[in-house]
């Protein structure tokens, strides 16, 4: 990074040895230095826990910990590099906010979904979650994939325009949208109808 280029003599690369890095920083701190250490939050909060607790915390040493990639922001590095604990300890319940990503979030320890799809398909959304919790991951995955077309259609315009249109098509009579929202574009409405028919709810 930039610091390493400007101050190469003050940069120490500890490799994939986060606990060792934390111990080195504690030692430097006792010599009057102010070390800054950085790694993924998973390893700063998890792998280095004992060193942070015993070598930095108890003696009140001046070590700065700048962890990165907290939560589920690591992407392709996967669950082993993701650290919800860094955000809220064991007090964090994770819910998917996207109906097309229920199973991926459940696989990361999620508790469920805050769902738009459940307004028109409550049993099916329940089944996606319950099958996963019951250990039927393949069944849950199949239900998730079967719903993708409808999920896409329910978000082809800004929410809640499509879901209100879908409920009206199902005879639920939830009324029109209100300003500044408009009714669905005709071509998008046809896309929604097709998806609903394919999913078996129209």
């Amino acid at each position: 990074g930039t610091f390493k280029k400007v101050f190469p003599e003050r940069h120490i690369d500890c490799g994939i040895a986060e606990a060792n890095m934390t111990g080195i920083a504690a030692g430097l701190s006792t010599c009057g230095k102010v070390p800054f250490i950085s790694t993924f939050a998973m390893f700063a909060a998890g792998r280095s826990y004992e060193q942070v607790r015993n070598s930095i915390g108890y003696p009140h040493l001046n070590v700065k910990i700048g962890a990165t990639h907290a939560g589920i922001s690591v992407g392709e590095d996967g669950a082993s590099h993701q650290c919800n604990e860094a955000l809220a300890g064991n007090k964090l319940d994770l819910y998917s906010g996207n109906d097309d990503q229920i199973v991926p979030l459940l696989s990361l320890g999620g508790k469920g979904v805050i769902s738009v799809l459940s307004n028109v398909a409550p049993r099916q959304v329940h089944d996606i979650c319950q099958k996963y919790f019951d250990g039927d991951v393949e069944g849950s995955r199949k239900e998730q994939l079967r719903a993708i077309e409808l999920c896409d259609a329910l978000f082809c315009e800004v929410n809640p325009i499509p879901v209100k249109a879908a409920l009206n098509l199902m005879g639920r009579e939830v009324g029109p949208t209100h300003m500044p929202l408009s009714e669905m574009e005709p071509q998008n409405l046809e896309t929604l109808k097709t998806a609903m028919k394919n999913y078996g709810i129209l």
Side-chain angles (χ1 to χ4, degrees), residues 29-75:
S29 181
T30 65
C31 299
K33 306 294 185 182
V34 182
F36 287 71
I37 61 175
S38 183
T39 182
F40 281 16
M42 176 64 240
F43 307 123
R47 185 173 292 166
S48 303
Y49 172 77
E50 184 179 356
Q51 286 71 29
V52 171
R53 176 179 183 266
N54 295 340
S55 299
I56 296 175
Y58 281 161
H60 302 287
L61 297 180
N62 189 11
V63 175
K64 313 300 184 184
I65 303 174
T68 64
H69 298 81
I72 57 170
S73 61
V74 191

Side-chain angles (χ1 to χ4, degrees), residues 143-158:
E143 288 293 326
Q144 173 77 91
L145 292 176
R146 192 172 77 85
I148 293 297
E149 181 189 14
L150 181 55
C151 292
D152 290 343
L154 287 170
F155 288 94
C156 67
E157 292 190 23
V158 67

Side-chain angles (χ1 to χ4, degrees), residues 2-13 28 33:
T2 302
F3 184 89
K4 180 181 179 181
K5 291 177 181 178
V6 178
F7 302 106
E9 75 285 357
R10 294 166 59 187
H11 177 269
I12 302 173
D13 187 344
L28 289 170
K33 306 294 185 182

